C-alpha cells in the first residue's frame, strides 16, 4: 500500500522547510493527432464540460507516437494551445526520444512506466514504447508466465483518506472502499464489497482496464483518465454489482448478471 | 501488564472526554486499577469532567519534561481509590508531546495499572496520533450523523496503518464503536442514522449506544461522570459498555423509542 505524503526526510524542528515525498495522481494528456486547431477546439469543449475539475488542471504531456515528428517550434505552439484550452502542461512523459523536446520546452520529464502497462492502441508502427532503456534494467523476475505481474491483494476496509495504488498490476480489495478513499491500479480494480470512494483503473493509460465491484456507489470512476463524477449513483446500478469499462472513450457501467 | 484503550473520534464535540470519564469510573467501579490520561494538551478538560480540576499541580507535559515524577502528577480520584487522572497541560501546546516521552510515560502506566485510558483530542494531529499510536484497543466515539461517521472512518484508517502494534507485528488495534447522542425517536422518523447504518458504513461492531440526554450535560458541569448517576439512561448505557468491554454479553438498551403512556398520547409531551 502506498500512501500519499509519507514523510521521507524531516528537517530539524523549527526549520523553515520540510522536505517530504508526496505522490500525486496527475492526468496525462496523450496527443493522438498533431492537428493544433482541432486539438484546441476539442480540448476547450472537454474542459468546458467539467470546468470545476479540468480548468487550470495540471497535465503531463505524452507525445509518444509523435515525438520524433515534431519540431520544437511546433511543440511550443502545441503547449500554448493546450494552455489556451485551459489546461497547464507541467511536465512531459519520459518516452524514448522525449528528452530533447522536454529540454526545448524547459519541462521536467516524468517516468511513465510503460514496460509493465503495455500500450494498448494497436499502432504497430511504433514499437518504441516497449523498449527498455538499458540503464534501467528490471531485477530478475520470479518464474511464471512472462510479463505477468501478480495482483496487489488487500483486505478491506479501505477507509476515508486512504489511498492505494497498484503499480503495473491489478488491484483486488476484499472488502469495502469507503467514501473519501481512493483505489487505483494500472490494471483492473476489483472490489469485493461496496465501492463508495474513488476508483481509477488503467491509471497509466490502459484503456482496456476495467473496474468491478459488488455494490456500486462510487464518487468517481475513471479508466485511463476518462472519468465520471457521480453526485449520486445512477438508479439502475446503485448498490448493484457492476462492471465499468471504456466504450470508445465513454465510461460504461453495466450491472453484472450473476 | 495493563491494557491501553484510546477513546478517539476525529471529529470534535462528539463526547470523547465525557466517554473517557465515564468509562474510567466504570472500570474502577468494576475493580480494575485504572488511569485516565488527557492527551488534549492546551485544552485541558478531562479534569473538569472528573471533578478534580482544583487538584491539578503537575501535568502530563511536566512528567515528560522531567519536572516531576509520574507519581507526583497522578491525581487520585476521591470516589474510587483505584482510579487516577493524569491531566493535560493548559499552558503548553501539542508540540510538547514527543513520541519517546509519551512512550516512556505510557509504558510506566501500563506496568502499574490494569487499564490505561487515553482521552484523545479531536483532529488527526500529533496529540490524537500519539494517543492512538500506543493503544491495544480503541473506542471510537461516533454521533449518528454523516460528518462524524466520515471522520471516524478516517481515524479507523489511520489507526490501522500507524500504530505501535502494527509496527511491531502484534496485530491490529481492536476496534469498537460507541454511539453517543443517539435519539431512537429521530431514527424512527428517519432523520438520524441508525445503529445498523453506522455499523454497516464503518464495518465495526457497536459496543454501546448512549442516548441523547440532558443528564450528560448536568453531570459534566458538576464534575460527576454520568455513569455514576444510576437513575440516568446514559449512565446505564455507559455501564453496559464497560461490561461489554470487559467481555460480558449485555443486550442493547435505549435503541428503541420509548412507549408513550396514555396521558402523554392524549396531551402530547
Amino acid at each position: 500500500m502506498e500512501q500519499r505524503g509519507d514523510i521521507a526526510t524531516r528537517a530539524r524542528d523549527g526549520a523553515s522547510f520540510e522536505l517530504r515525498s508526496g505522490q500525486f495522481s496527475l492526468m496525462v494528456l496523450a496527443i493522438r493527432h498533431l492537428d493544433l486547431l482541432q486539438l484546441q477546439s476539442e480540448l476547450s469543449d472537454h474542459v468546458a464540460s467539467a470546468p470545476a475539475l479540468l480548468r487550470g488542471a495540471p497535465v503531463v504531456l505524452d507525445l509518444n507516437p509523435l515525438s520524433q515528428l515534431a519540431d520544437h517550434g511546433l511543440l511550443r505552439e502545441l503547449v500554448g494551445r493546450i494552455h489556451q484550452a485551459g489546461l497547464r502542461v507541467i511536465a512531459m512523459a519520459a518516452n524514448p526520444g522525449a528528452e530533447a523536446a522536454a529540454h526545448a520546452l524547459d519541462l521536467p520529464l516524468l517516468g511513465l512506466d510503460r514496460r509493465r502497462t503495455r500500450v494498448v492502441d494497436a499502432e504497430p508502427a511504433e514499437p518504441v514504447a516497449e523498449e527498455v532503456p538499458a540503464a534501467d534494467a528490471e531485477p530478475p523476475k520470479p518464474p511464471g508466465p512472462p510479463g505477468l505481474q501478480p495482483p496487489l491483494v488487500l483486505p478491506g476496509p479501505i477507509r476515508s483518506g486512504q489511498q492505494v495504488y497498484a503499480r503495473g498490476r491489478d488491484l483486488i480489495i476484499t472488502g469495502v472502499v469507503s467514501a473519501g478513499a481512493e483505489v487505483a491500479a494500472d490494471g483492473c480494480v476489483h472490489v469485493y464489497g461496496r465501492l463508495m470512494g474513488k476508483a481509477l483503473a488503467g491509471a497509466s493509460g490502459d484503456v482496456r482496464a476495467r473496474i468491478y465491484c459488488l455494490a456500486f456507489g462510487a464518487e468517481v470512476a475513471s479508466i485511463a483518465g476518462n472519468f465520471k463524477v457521480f453526485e449520486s449513483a445512477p438508479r439502475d446500478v446503485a448498490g448493484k454489482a457492476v462492471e465499468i469499462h471504456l466504450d470508445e472513450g465513454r465510461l460504461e457501467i453495466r450491472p453484472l448478471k450473476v | 501488564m495493563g491494557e491501553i484503550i484510546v477513546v478517539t473520534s476525529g471529529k470534535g464535540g462528539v463526547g470523547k472526554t465525557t466517554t473517557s470519564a465515564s468509562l474510567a469510573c466504570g472500570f474502577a467501579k468494576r475493580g480494575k486499577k485504572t488511569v485516565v490520561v488527557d492527551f488534549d494538551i492546551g485544552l485541558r478538560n478531562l479534569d473538569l469532567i472528573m471533578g478534580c480540576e482544583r487538584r491539578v499541580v503537575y501535568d502530563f507535559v511536566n512528567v515528560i519534561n522531567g519536572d516531576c515524577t509520574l507519581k507526583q502528577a497522578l491525581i487520585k480520584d476521591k470516589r474510587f481509590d483505584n482510579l487516577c487522572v493524569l491531566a493535560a497541560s493548559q499552558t503548553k501546546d501539542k508540540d510538547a508531546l514527543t513520541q519517546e516521552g509519551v512512550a516512556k510515560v505510557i509504558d510506566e502506566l501500563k506496568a502499574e495499572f490494569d487499564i490505561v485510558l487515553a482521552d484523545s483530542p479531536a483532529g488527526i494531529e500529533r496529540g490524537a496520533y500519539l494517543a492512538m499510536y500506543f493503544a491495544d484497543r480503541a473506542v471510537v466515539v461516533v454521533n449518528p450523523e454523516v460528518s462524524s461517521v466520515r471522520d471516524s472512518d478516517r481515524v479507523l484508517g489511520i489507526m490501522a496503518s500507524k500504530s505501535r502494534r502494527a509496527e511491531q507485528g502484534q496485530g491490529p488495534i481492536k476496534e469498537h464503536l460507541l454511539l453517543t447522542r443517539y435519539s431512537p425517536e429521530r431514527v424512527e422518523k428517519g432523520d438520524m442514522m441508525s445503529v445498523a447504518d453506522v455499523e454497516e458504513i464503518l464495518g465495526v461492531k457497536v459496543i454501546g449506544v448512549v442516548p441523547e440526554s440532558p443528564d450528560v450535560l448536568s453531570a459534566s458541569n458538576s464534575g460527576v461522570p454520568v455513569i455514576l448517576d444510576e437513575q440516568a439512561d446514559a449512565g446505564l448505557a455507559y455501564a453496559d459498555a464497560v461490561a461489554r468491554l470487559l467481555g460480558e454479553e449485555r443486550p442493547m438498551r435505549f435503541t428503541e423509542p420509548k412507549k408513550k403512556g396514555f396521558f402523554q398520547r392524549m396531551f402530547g409531551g
Side-chain angles (χ1 to χ4, degrees):
Chain A
M1 189 182 306
E2 298 186 32
Q3 278 180 320
R4 193 180 287 184
D6 272 354
I7 293 164
T9 327
R10 197 186 267 280
R12 236 174 345 100
D13 272 5
S16 62
F17 69 90
E18 188 180 79
L19 195 59
R20 299 182 306 174
S21 75
Q23 291 195 346
F24 301 91
S25 52
L26 286 170
M27 280 185 284
V28 176
L29 180 66
I31 306 298
R32 290 185 181 152
H33 314 288
L34 210 48
D35 180 334
L36 295 181
L37 285 174
Q38 187 195 355
L39 178 82
Q40 190 184 347
S41 86
E42 287 179 2
L43 205 52
S44 298
D45 290 348
H46 199 67
V47 171
S49 71
L53 272 155
L54 291 179
R55 176 135 354 255
V59 294
V60 177
L61 185 58
D62 182 358
L63 283 176
N64 177 38
L66 314 157
S67 50
Q68 59 269 72
L69 303 176
D71 67 68
H72 297 158
L74 191 62
L75 284 178
R76 265 185 222 107
E77 167 112 30
L78 170 68
V79 171
R81 300 262 175 182
I82 295 169
H83 279 229
Q84 279 170 31
L87 297 175
R88 316 181 120 225
V89 176
I90 59 157
M92 281 194 64
N95 297 310
E99 292 91 80
H103 185 73
L105 293 169
D106 196 21
L107 287 171
L109 277 175
L110 290 185
L112 262 190
D113 199 347
R114 288 186 184 264
R115 281 163 288 151
R116 297 183 185 176
T117 52
R118 272 190 249 167
V119 179
V120 188
D121 277 0
E123 290 192 51
E126 301 289 338
V128 192
E130 297 281 18
E131 254 176 39
V132 181
D136 192 9
E138 288 227 309
K141 281 187 188 152
L148 185 66
Q149 289 278 334
L152 176 60
V153 183
L154 293 173
I158 307 299
R159 297 196 178 274
S160 184
Q162 289 186 317
Q163 291 180 311
V164 176
Y165 173 42
R167 188 187 301 277
R169 48 190 173 156
D170 287 354
L171 174 63
I172 297 175
I173 311 277
T174 55
V176 174
V177 176
S178 293
E182 287 182 30
V183 292
D186 288 339
C188 296
V189 174
H190 305 255
V191 178
Y192 295 97
R194 267 177 305 124
L195 169 58
M196 303 302 289
K198 296 179 183 166
L200 299 88
S204 304
D206 189 342
V207 293
R208 295 168 310 180
R210 293 179 180 219
I211 300 170
Y212 298 87
C213 66
L214 286 191
F216 179 78
E219 296 163 339
V220 173
S222 165
I223 294 174
N226 300 275
F227 63 90
K228 222 174 196 171
V229 181
F230 301 95
E231 271 203 31
S232 56
R235 199 171 297 164
D236 54 326
V237 290
K240 295 203 175 117
V242 301
E243 177 193 60
I244 306 172
H245 68 279
L246 264 193
D247 185 12
E248 295 181 348
R250 279 179 52 87
L251 217 58
E252 294 288 339
I253 308 176
R254 60 182 190 86
L256 283 171
K257 298 202 177 60
V258 196
Chain B
M1 280 300 248
E3 191 178 30
I4 301 164
I5 304 178
V6 62
V7 177
T8 184
S9 71
K11 194 172 182 301
V14 296
K16 283 180 297 297
T17 301
T18 305
T19 297
S20 298
S22 275
L23 294 184
C25 288
F27 283 125
K29 208 173 170 187
R30 301 289 302 260
K32 298 280 177 192
K33 200 171 177 205
T34 305
V35 60
V36 56
V37 184
D38 192 349
F39 273 77
D40 204 346
I41 308 300
L43 294 169
R44 200 181 90 191
N45 281 169
L46 179 68
D47 50 314
L48 286 169
I49 313 293
M50 292 294 290
C52 63
E53 72 277 11
R54 307 191 66 85
R55 291 191 289 138
V56 179
V57 180
Y58 292 114
D59 59 51
F60 196 2
V61 174
N62 290 137
V63 181
I64 289 178
N65 291 346
D67 305 335
C68 65
T69 64
L70 180 57
K71 259 210 172 64
Q72 287 174 305
L74 288 174
I75 306 162
K76 260 206 157 46
D77 188 84
K78 283 196 167 152
R79 295 155 292 219
F80 303 98
D81 54 10
N82 57 345
L83 174 59
C84 286
V85 178
L86 182 55
S89 171
Q90 182 70 348
T91 49
K92 309 284 193 326
D93 69 15
K94 60 184 188 305
D95 296 328
L97 292 183
T98 60
Q99 182 144 337
E100 304 74 41
V102 174
K104 197 165 158 284
V105 174
I106 286 283
D107 287 337
E108 220 174 305
L109 290 172
K110 205 173 162 179
E112 184 81 12
F113 291 88
D114 299 326
I115 288 173
V116 181
L117 272 171
D119 179 24
S120 167
I124 47 175
E125 288 180 67
R126 191 199 288 250
Y129 163 72
L130 288 173
M132 69 176 84
Y133 180 75
F134 299 97
D136 300 305
R137 287 210 270 175
V139 173
V140 178
V141 182
V142 194
N143 287 169
E145 49 97 15
V146 285
S147 56
S148 174
V149 170
R150 164 78 59 96
D151 289 359
S152 299
D153 193 46
R154 178 92 170 94
V155 161
L156 285 162
I158 294 170
M159 229 154 31
S161 58
K162 291 178 185 164
S163 70
R164 183 160 71 171
R165 290 184 69 86
E167 281 169 17
Q168 295 182 349
Q170 293 173 305
I173 296 176
K174 193 162 170 28
E175 303 157 343
H176 310 281
L177 292 183
L178 188 98
L179 247 70
T180 55
R181 305 235 161 110
Y182 196 75
S183 165
E185 290 78 17
R186 297 188 64 194
V187 171
E188 195 172 54
K189 274 194 237 154
D191 49 3
M192 186 180 266
M193 294 166 99
S194 71
V195 178
D197 290 341
V198 177
E199 275 186 334
E200 199 205 321
I201 294 172
L202 294 177
V204 177
K205 283 304 255 185
V206 164
I207 194 101
V209 178
V210 180
E212 168 89 78
S213 149
D215 300 331
V216 176
L217 182 66
S218 47
S220 294
N221 284 340
S222 57
V224 181
V226 72
I227 195 170
L228 301 177
D229 181 351
E230 284 169 9
Q231 309 298 313
D233 286 356
L236 297 172
Y238 274 120
D240 284 355
V242 168
R244 292 189 198 104
L245 283 166
L246 291 171
E248 292 170 24
E249 294 271 341
R250 292 268 176 110
M252 279 292 170
R253 294 193 271 181
F254 318 116
T255 55
E256 300 297 327
K258 282 200 174 125
K259 298 272 184 296
K260 284 189 174 177
F262 173 75
F263 283 103
Q264 275 181 311
R265 259 183 287 146
M266 291 294 288
F267 304 112

